[in-house]
Each structure stands twice: as C-alpha cells, then as structure tokens.
Amino acid sequence: MAEQKCKSNIRKAGRAMGNKKRIGMLTSGGDCQALNAAMRGVVKGIETFYSDNLEIIGFEEGYKGLIYGKYQKLVPSDFSGILTKGGTILGSSRQPFKKMRVPDANGLDKVEAMKTTYHQLKLDCLVILGGNGTHKTAHMLFEEGLNIITLPKTIDNDLWATEMTFGFQSAVNIATNAIDCIHTTATSHGRVFIVELMGHKVGWVTLHAGIAGGADIILIPEIPYDINKVIKALKKREKQGKRFSILAVAEGAISKEDALLSKKERKAKIKTRKYPTISYELAEQIQKATGKEVRVTVPGHTQRGGSPCAYDRVLASRLGAEAARLIQQEKYGRMVSVKGNEIVSVPLLEVAGKLKYVSLDDAIIMQAKTLGISFGD
Ligand code: F6P
C-alpha cells in the first residue's frame, strides 16, 4: 500500500512537470550479456515516473540506426520478459568513433545525420548503452547539444569512471567454466593448456577467470611476460610432480620485447606473424622448451553470449533505474556508474577516451602472486 502511494506520488511529480517523455535508445559496439536487462531497467524506471506519458524509440544496430533513421516505436511491454535474454533486442554494430566525422560512401555527414534524426523525432533524451568507443561518440553528441544518458556495458570491464561494467561478471563465469572444463582433460593427459580469453587491450576477464579457475600462469597486457620466466614456472610445477599446467592468456598479452616496440612496429609484426593469435606462438615456444604437449583453447565469443548471470542482472537493473532517475531530473551528459556499493553518475567528459587498465598496484595482483600464480614477469 505504502509502495503504491509512493509510486503514484512519483508519477504525479512527473505529470506535474507537464512532461510527456520521448526517449530514444540504442545499444552500440560489441554486445554483452545484460544489455536487455539494462534497457528493461531504464524503461521500467521511466514508466514509474511518467506512466503512460512515455514514448520509446529504439534505434536499430546502434549508431547506424540513428544515422540512417532506422528505428522502431516501442512500448514498455516490448521490454517485458527480456531480463534473462542475452544479446540485444535492438541489435548492435561497431561504428568507430574515428570514422564518425568522415562522410559515408554517399557523402553523408554522419554527425549531422544523427542530430537531424534526434531533432526530427523530437526526442527529449537519448539513452546509449555501450563501451569505450561508444562513449567517445556519446560525449561528442552531448557536446553537439543532444541530451544524452549512458550506461556502461562491456565484458572487458575497461571503462573509466566505473568500478564495474555489466557483462563482465557473466563473461568471467563463462571463461571460468572453460578453464574448469580444461582442468579435467589436462589432468588426464598431463598436458599444458593455454586458454585464451577476451578483453581487448586489458586483462580483467583473464585475471578474474584465471584466479577463479585456478590457472597456474596468468598473462595479461598490463604485465608484459618474459617467455623464460613462463617456462621456468612450468618446469617448477613439473619438478613439484604436477602432471599438467594451465595458462590463462589474455588475447592482448604481450612479451617484454614486444612491449618495447612502437605501436606501428608492433602492428607490423602482428601482420607478419605466422600464428593466428599470441597463444599459438606461446604454445610453440613452450612445446620446444619443455617437450610437453601443448594445446590451445579459445572460447572466443561464447564469453559474450548466453544469459546474464544474477550479478549482472542486478547491476544492469540498478544502473537502468538510476538512468531513469537522471532522465526524470533532466541531468544529462552523464554515465551511470558503480562506486563502491553505490550506483552514482559521472560526467561523460570524465569517461570518454580513457581506458581502465589493471593496475600493477591492485591488491589482487599481489594476492594472486601470493597464491603462487606466475605472471611471467
Ligand atoms: O569489447 C568486447 C570484445 O569482446 C573484446 O573483448 C574483443 O576483443 C572484441 O570485443 C571482439 O570484437 P568483435 O565482436 O568485433 O570480433
């Protein structure tokens, strides 16, 4: 009863402001779990504030839909039953920020096109769910005068100004499960296994899944490895009578010598590399040095798939609710974020263009080393 009264007061507050809200929404960049849960959270939140004074425009395939005016008119019930559903009901695509100011094949000015769509649809606000690249464009659109609210999505957990992104914990669960499955077969055959995990330029997924899955060696981009140290760690395990070893290797892991190369030199080296990824190069080096059989497993995009875990459902719902509050307060140009146990919001200016790397000073690194995990450094 008290709850109902509270809800009706909130609604009255919305109506008292004479507000009919028309909200645009898009999901951009690589997908992840809990995108649907987050959108559902936003819609449920604004519905609480504005009741039936609400119109939702869902843009198809991220910024592409905003540029080319491809959208659907949605109603709150379209967001029912999607809490547990992976992927995104709006579709997504990668539209690199650096190409946003470059006209398309037909000479269309993409930034102007996005602004035109926004104004023609008379949107009050655009809610954008995305990761790093997405936030650079979101900030630019805010600077161009659009009302923008964003939510932090990515399995990589590399967004600045939030301690956690939704998608990350689900990906860590999947990656951990992959390591768990490898454990049993590695034990049977006495092999060395490399499990290569996603994360782009950062090592969050690998670090967490590596610890959770009991990996013996964890290699992440933030801590360049020395192959001799990796081999030493493997030989030490063998001496201890261990029949197998597991390496959790981030797709962006890098050797100490490659870390000394310039970005250009590194790119050129990767182009001519005979191995599809860093793990295959490591596998050959390890096999040569130890004589052990080495196998590589790459779970790849499975890490972005399937249902969101319970943690991500809660996080995405909380972030969605906070985004709705910002819309009600007309506090635009902000990303909802996690600080400690709180859901807060930060200006887009603070977020755009900055990556959140694993820091060597993070206690988790010291604790992992205390557990005997080698980082090959
Ligand atoms: O940013 C999420 C992510 O899954 C990264 O971990 C990975 O490097 C990249 O996207 C893969 O991108 P795509 O789906 O375009 O192959």
Side-chain angles (χ1 to χ4, degrees), residues 30-31 94 154-156 198-200 251 301 304:
D31 73 342
R94 290 197 187 276
T154 167
I155 65 161
D156 301 341
M198 274 189 170
H200 199 40
E251 61 181 350
H301 289 76
R304 277 187 3 209

Side-chain angles (χ1 to χ4, degrees), residues 305-319:
S307 258
C309 66
Y311 181 98
D312 275 338
R313 293 179 202 182
V314 175
L315 176 62
S317 301
R318 291 181 71 194
L319 289 166

Side-chain angles (χ1 to χ4, degrees), residues 66-92:
L66 188 62
I67 296 168
Y68 298 105
K70 286 186 76 185
Y71 59 85
Q72 306 163 39
K73 287 188 176 169
L74 300 168
V75 291
S77 63
D78 291 320
F79 295 84
S80 286
I82 61 168
L83 174 64
T84 62
K85 208 175 160 192
T88 157
I89 57 166
L90 296 181
S92 191

Side-chain angles (χ1 to χ4, degrees), residues 35 40-41 61 68 169 215 226 296 319 331 344:
L35 274 166
R40 170 184 174 272
E61 296 181 24
Y68 298 105
Q169 294 289 351
D226 174 344
V296 176
L319 289 166
K331 272 190 172 177
V344 296

Side-chain angles (χ1 to χ4, degrees), residues 132 154 156-160 165 199-200 202 204 354-356:
N132 270 299
T154 167
D156 301 341
N157 194 31
D158 60 352
L159 256 180
W160 188 257
T165 57
H200 199 40
V202 305
W204 291 110
K354 285 183 232 150
L355 277 187
K356 184 183 70 195

